[in-house]
Amino acid sequence: MGENLHRLQGFDVSLNLPDSKCLDDDGRLKRTGTVWTASAHIITAVIGSGVLSLAWATAQLGWIAGPSVMFLFSFVTYYTSTLLAACYRSGNPDSGKRNYTYMDAVRANLGGFQVKICGVIQYVNLFGVAIGYTIASSISMKAIERSNCFHSKGHDSPCRVSSNPYMIAFGVMEVIFSQIPDFDQIWWLSIVAAVMSFTYSSIGLGLGIARVAETGKIRGSLTGISIGAQVTPIEKIWRSFQALGDIAFAYSYSLILIEIQDTIKSPPSEYKTMKKATLLSVGVTTLFYMFCGCFGYAAFGDSSHVNLLTGFGFFNPYWLLNIANAAIVIHLVGAYQVYCQPLFAFVEKIASKYFPDSEFITKEVEIPIPGFKSFKLNLFRLVWRTAFVIITTIISMLMPFFNDVVGILGAFGFWPLTVYFPVEMYIVQKKIRKWSLRWICLQTLSGACLVISIAAAAGSFAGVASDLKVYKPFKTSY
């Protein structure tokens, strides 16, 4: 009897409906997110594997342009994120109609064809992030095996390792975690992932500082990698453009910002909480990025690898490298879910809309778990999410070019999702007059970021073209 009463707590027993005290103003169960959980989601999304390519990106741009570009991207990301957060509610920021997803916000403010364009860009980008994270995780898992091999056989041993088994292992893990039904139920995974991101970033930073202290030299130059012995003039241009894409990817999280904001409780208004979370998260990540990018470049100069912890500029202590790469894998397991949950929800919402009477889509099977609340398994969710993970894993095995994929994703998603749509929606919502000073400034910012995105995309595609010349499908090993 007591157990039954516990189950019914918070519900109207006569109607079998949730008590109004448990509901938000839109009739949904009360959101419980705080500035800390929102920050955890953002940090999990932002401090991803992209941080490890920042030393390489700094090497392409040099001591002046590298840190300057990182700071510029951090400012743009913070500013446009506050514009986007203001669009979570239409009209009144405290009581206006909620927009649950990025597409809902675009639909409410811009409407028309732009909604479809936004949806395509957002979900293709999320799909691409899943591929990028699968590749990145396999690189770190291979690095652990190679580190152990180098330790036992010596640094001159080839220690070649195939990436395919590790991509499959990562895919199996994601099949399991992808059965978590909703975005707001992965907060614990985000916190674990955020802790892991600080762990491996700190190790990379510490190793960079130790290398600089050991050699007593700060390597690198004001203009970056030198033309001549290392790269041709055209390669220097392409690499500099690709570095822009890598840095853009390292700051990219706007495509899931509205979904994160929809987990936050109120009062205070979701906008105020999200603004604090954005400031905290972007500030912390920028500090880490500056340290990791700059100390990595200072340690290795023009020879900085595309992945600070797997390029084996560092060999010892090998156990510390293994801890760092294990932390990367754990972080990417969580980050994969943070990015893919909005895509999962979108497809399942569409399926329910068009097939409301299908038991395969709507029916949930309760699976009892001893000592825990029973788990509700949806058959459509099981089949479709498993198929999604399998497809991203196969594509990752076909094109395992981590640095180029990172650059392409950064270029493809940065301008439209981080800058264009937030600026246009903000102009509409705040009724900013055309050709006013504020309108001109916002449009200038958008135009400048468009140019940067085009340049970054060009550099990254040039990198893929170069890699394909020596590439054999499913036979990548290092």
Side-chain angles (χ1 to χ4, degrees):
M1 180 68 180
E3 183 181 350
N4 290 334
L5 286 174
H6 176 72
R7 288 178 180 174
L8 292 171
Q9 188 177 6
F11 288 79
D12 184 322
V13 179
S14 62
L15 298 175
N16 198 31
L17 294 172
D19 189 342
S20 60
K21 293 179 181 179
C22 297
L23 300 178
D24 268 328
D25 56 355
D26 59 347
R28 296 191 178 188
L29 286 174
K30 274 193 177 295
R31 293 152 177 87
T32 58
T34 64
V35 66
W36 299 110
T37 60
S39 297
H41 284 315
I42 295 171
I43 290 171
T44 298
V46 178
I47 303 186
S49 52
V51 68
L52 302 173
S53 66
L54 291 179
W56 179 89
T58 307
Q60 311 314 306
L61 300 171
W63 278 118
I64 296 176
S68 299
V69 169
M70 275 191 271
F71 180 77
L72 176 65
F73 272 93
S74 70
F75 172 75
V76 170
T77 301
Y78 169 71
Y79 179 67
T80 57
S81 294
T82 60
L83 301 185
L84 182 57
C87 300
Y88 172 66
R89 287 185 183 265
S90 298
N92 191 299
D94 295 312
S95 59
K97 181 181 177 295
R98 295 174 187 264
N99 297 306
Y100 302 115
T101 66
Y102 199 126
M103 278 184 69
D104 288 343
V106 174
R107 185 178 291 109
N109 291 281
L110 302 177
F113 187 65
Q114 294 199 64
V115 179
K116 295 179 180 178
I117 294 294
C118 170
V120 170
I121 294 172
Q122 182 186 11
Y123 294 119
V124 167
N125 208 266
L126 291 173
F127 183 76
V129 167
I131 295 169
Y133 282 179
T134 303
I135 296 169
S137 68
S138 72
I139 290 173
S140 289
M141 285 188 272
K142 283 189 303 180
I144 294 173
E145 184 173 343
R146 292 188 73 208
S147 174
N148 292 332
C149 175
F150 287 138
H151 181 69
S152 60
K153 297 182 180 180
H155 297 167
D156 296 328
S157 300
C159 293
R160 299 188 70 81
V161 181
S162 173
S163 60
N164 293 341
Y166 294 109
M167 290 188 188
I168 293 170
F170 184 79
V172 170
M173 285 189 286
E174 292 306 338
V175 166
I176 296 170
F177 281 107
S178 67
Q179 297 312 309
I180 299 173
D182 302 312
F183 194 92
D184 61 348
Q185 293 181 27
I186 63 169
W187 60 268
W188 60 272
L189 192 58
S190 281
I191 291 174
V192 171
V195 171
M196 292 298 105
S197 67
F198 281 123
T199 299
Y200 68 74
S201 297
S202 299
I203 291 173
L205 171 60
L207 289 172
I209 294 171
R211 173 61 65 91
V212 172
E214 180 186 344
T215 61
K217 285 184 183 178
I218 295 179
R219 300 178 186 274
S221 64
L222 295 180
T223 56
I225 192 167
S226 55
I227 296 171
Q230 294 173 302
V231 293
T232 63
I234 191 65
E235 285 176 336
K236 169 73 173 177
I237 293 171
W238 290 134
R239 285 189 175 202
S240 297
F241 287 166
Q242 187 178 345
L244 295 177
D246 285 6
I247 295 172
F249 176 78
Y251 278 105
S252 177
Y253 79 98
S254 296
L255 68 170
I256 56 170
L257 184 145
I258 296 291
E259 285 80 355
I260 292 173
Q261 194 167 351
D262 191 46
T263 67
I264 296 173
K265 64 182 178 182
S266 63
S269 71
E270 299 86 357
Y271 169 71
K272 290 179 181 177
T273 302
M274 196 64 189
K275 193 173 179 180
K276 289 179 182 177
T278 299
L279 179 61
L280 174 64
S281 305
V282 174
V284 168
T285 54
T286 300
L287 189 64
F288 261 79
Y289 285 1
M290 287 290 186
F291 282 154
C292 289
C294 293
F295 275 103
Y297 184 41
F300 297 107
D302 291 349
S303 61
S304 296
H305 198 268
V306 294
N307 189 315
L308 185 63
L309 293 174
T310 61
F312 291 96
F314 300 117
F315 285 101
N316 290 305
Y318 83 101
W319 57 268
L320 188 61
L321 281 172
N322 290 351
I323 291 173
N325 281 299
I328 292 172
V329 175
I330 296 169
H331 168 259
L332 291 175
V333 169
Y336 187 105
Q337 291 302 316
V338 168
Y339 273 102
C340 290
Q341 283 289 340
L343 176 56
F344 292 158
F346 173 74
V347 171
E348 287 153 21
K349 179 181 176 183
I350 295 295
S352 298
K353 178 181 177 182
Y354 285 98
F355 304 100
D357 300 323
S358 171
E359 284 196 5
F360 174 67
I361 291 173
T362 58
K363 187 177 179 180
E364 292 187 335
V365 179
E366 287 204 10
I367 300 176
I369 302 175
F372 297 93
K373 190 168 67 172
S374 59
F375 180 76
K376 293 183 178 180
L377 180 67
N378 178 277
L379 294 179
F380 175 68
R381 184 170 67 232
L382 174 65
V383 172
W384 124 252
R385 294 189 183 189
T386 301
F388 174 88
V389 174
I390 291 172
I391 290 169
T392 58
T393 303
I394 291 172
I395 294 174
S396 301
M397 292 163 68
L398 277 169
M399 292 190 66
F401 313 135
F402 170 70
N403 206 42
D404 300 324
V405 169
V406 162
I408 290 170
L409 291 172
F412 184 66
F414 176 70
W415 177 70
L417 298 175
T418 302
V419 183
Y420 173 76
F421 285 118
V423 165
E424 293 300 316
M425 288 191 290
Y426 187 77
I427 287 172
V428 170
Q429 191 167 60
K430 299 300 180 183
K431 297 181 174 61
I432 298 173
R433 187 168 49 85
K434 198 172 184 179
W435 301 114
S436 65
L437 179 61
R438 196 174 187 189
W439 185 91
I440 291 172
C441 290
L442 287 169
Q443 295 296 348
T444 301
L445 171 66
S446 182
C449 291
L450 172 60
V451 173
I452 292 172
S453 287
I454 292 171
S460 298
F461 278 115
V464 169
S466 176
D467 287 336
L468 287 173
K469 292 177 182 177
V470 294
Y471 163 69
K472 292 180 181 180
F474 297 110
K475 292 189 182 291
T476 302
S477 62
Y478 300 98

